[in-house]
Amino acid sequence: MAVSSTPIGLTRGAHVGISVSDLDVAIDFYQALTGRPPVAQGTMNSVPFGRSQGLSDANLRYATINIDGLGIDLIEFQDPVGWRTNGAANRPGSMHLCFKVDDFDAVYKRMKEAGYDFLGDDYTFLAGEVTPDAALGTRVAYFNDPDGTNLEIIEPKGGFAGP
């Protein structure tokens, strides 16, 4: 697909949509993770909406949990039902949702004690492994939700600090 290099100007995020296999399980997971309940829950059954996403139909249940500056839309497609992507971090098209933390050690410890399984050890950006130098000291750890969605916690430094 060739796309023009003409700037469009999309600069504000509204939400991230995460397809889930069981909405109730996903709500429990994300509510525990964020400490926030859903702000909206409902259903949709719409052929035109499904077609807008390249699907034959969109019969679904959904819930939205808001975190600071971003909504997390959890969507259980009931028809058509999809299959798990198993989107490893290095697979083109996979993505992850990153949660910014102020005290990495405290959050990481609380998550371990609560039973979250991290994909590997936590990591601190080191000289010789990452540029620019302003990013040195950034700390990250990766984990998955119940459906294998890639998630991250980060205590950022330098350019990774974001808005």
Side-chain angles (χ1 to χ4, degrees), residues 93-162:
S94 73
M95 56 183 291
H96 67 273
L97 172 58
C98 182
F99 295 92
K100 187 176 181 179
V101 301
D102 295 323
D103 184 342
F104 185 90
D105 288 327
V107 172
Y108 186 75
K109 180 181 178 192
R110 258 193 338 268
M111 290 179 72
K112 292 281 260 184
E113 289 171 352
Y116 288 85
D117 291 324
F118 288 91
L119 300 177
D121 294 333
D122 62 302
Y123 176 75
T124 302
F125 289 20
L126 302 173
E129 294 181 352
V130 67
T131 60
D133 287 345
L136 300 179
T138 293
R139 300 192 58 200
V140 297
Y142 296 89
F143 59 107
N144 292 139
D145 75 3
D147 285 302
T149 301
N150 298 314
L151 304 172
E152 173 187 7
I153 57 171
I154 188 170
E155 183 180 359
K157 305 289 185 207
F160 288 102

Side-chain angles (χ1 to χ4, degrees), residues 48-60:
F49 182 70
R51 288 187 178 150
S52 76
Q53 296 187 40
L55 302 171
S56 60
D57 192 2
N59 183 359
L60 57 87

Side-chain angles (χ1 to χ4, degrees), residues 6 19-20 38 41 44 53 71 80-82 86-87 98 120 123 126 131 141-142:
T6 303
S19 293
V20 301
Q41 293 186 61
M44 177 177 277
Q53 296 187 40
V81 174
N86 295 319
C98 182
Y123 176 75
L126 302 173
T131 60
Y142 296 89

